[in-house]
Amino acid sequence: MYEYVALNERKSSFEQLPSEALLLDGVPLEEQLYGYRTLSVSGREMMKQDIETVRRTGNGSIFLRSSYPSRIITVRYELKATDNAHFRELFNRLNKLLKGSQRELRFVDEPEFAFYGTLSDVGDVPPGVNTVIGDFSFFCADPFKYANKRSLTGTDTITVMIDDTYQTLPDTITVTPNVSTATITVQTGNKELKLVQGSFLANKPVTFDFIQQAVWNENGDMMEKLALSSDFEEFYIQSGTPITFLQGGNISVTVREVAL
């Protein structure tokens, strides 16, 4: 994983790059592929909403719900080679650099936010020349972009202050009970996470991992202890609303602000 502190320290070196240059897992393609240059990027702007309705008798329809679709980000680039052999070498290298799933996509003009996408399309390049303009696209199943991770630690209760315009799940919540207990309960607003029928030892941390959709401690997976009533997929953080560990002890939260 790329160090965000290092990213901030390197901002001055990015000044020589195109303003929309792609940072793939934190590193500009221009620094990994001599002869490559980003020309433009599309697909990072406003997002439409998908609207679900049912027809009604007479005029119009009844609104049911709205949601954001997945996002396609397209990078337009120029690639310059000195000869045919160099041309093939550059494209071989570019293919290797772009492979893989759920790559972290940052851009020089907004390096504090990341999208996550997988290469899904490539444009044709003209034959018979060693300087070409082309494009490639990433499919972002999740249309949102995420700010750098923040970590907060407290005792019994933590209050997180974030921009919660868009629903924001924490990355992780870790609790460490002061005394041994048979249950673990974490609450925020009217949402609750609860582990039952367990033996949770004093000073032994338990982690709710919302990215991996897992619950675990030092002994391994504990997902079977999660009560069916738990709001695991809807435990959204609301700015200024406390997150409370009812049994008492240390609590730590990692979270990333969400934006479009």
Side-chain angles (χ1 to χ4, degrees), residues 7 11 14 17-30 36 38-45 71-76 103-117 136-138 140 144-146:
L7 180 63
K11 278 186 178 179
F14 294 163
L17 297 171
S19 63
E20 293 185 291
L22 169 63
L23 313 178
L24 194 59
D25 293 334
V27 184
L29 282 177
E30 282 83 351
Y36 169 93
T38 302
L39 298 179
S40 64
V41 177
S42 61
R44 294 191 292 154
E45 296 77 27
R71 182 190 292 271
I72 301 291
I73 295 178
T74 299
V75 178
R76 189 165 176 80
R103 303 293 298 278
E104 181 190 270
L105 313 176
R106 295 175 183 263
F107 298 89
V108 164
D109 58 1
E110 197 178 38
E112 66 274 17
F113 280 96
F115 296 95
Y116 295 89
F136 52 83
S137 298
F138 288 93
C140 301
F144 293 99
K145 59 188 176 184
Y146 293 85

Side-chain angles (χ1 to χ4, degrees), residues 100-166:
S101 302
Q102 290 296 91
R103 303 293 298 278
E104 181 190 270
L105 313 176
R106 295 175 183 263
F107 298 89
V108 164
D109 58 1
E110 197 178 38
E112 66 274 17
F113 280 96
F115 296 95
Y116 295 89
T118 302
L119 184 69
S120 59
D121 194 17
V122 294
D124 294 332
V125 296
V129 292
N130 292 326
T131 296
V132 298
I133 291 176
D135 59 73
F136 52 83
S137 298
F138 288 93
F139 174 76
C140 301
D142 181 346
F144 293 99
K145 59 188 176 184
Y146 293 85
N148 295 339
K149 185 181 297 184
R150 296 167 51 196
S151 297
L152 301 92
T153 302
T155 301
D156 298 344
T157 296
I158 286 179
T159 300
V160 181
M161 305 301 294
I162 62 169
D163 181 346
D164 58 2
T165 302
Y166 304 102

Side-chain angles (χ1 to χ4, degrees), residues 61-75:
S61 58
I62 299 172
F63 175 86
L64 295 180
R65 63 184 62 85
S66 64
S67 61
Y68 290 103
S70 298
R71 182 190 292 271
I72 301 291
I73 295 178
T74 299
V75 178

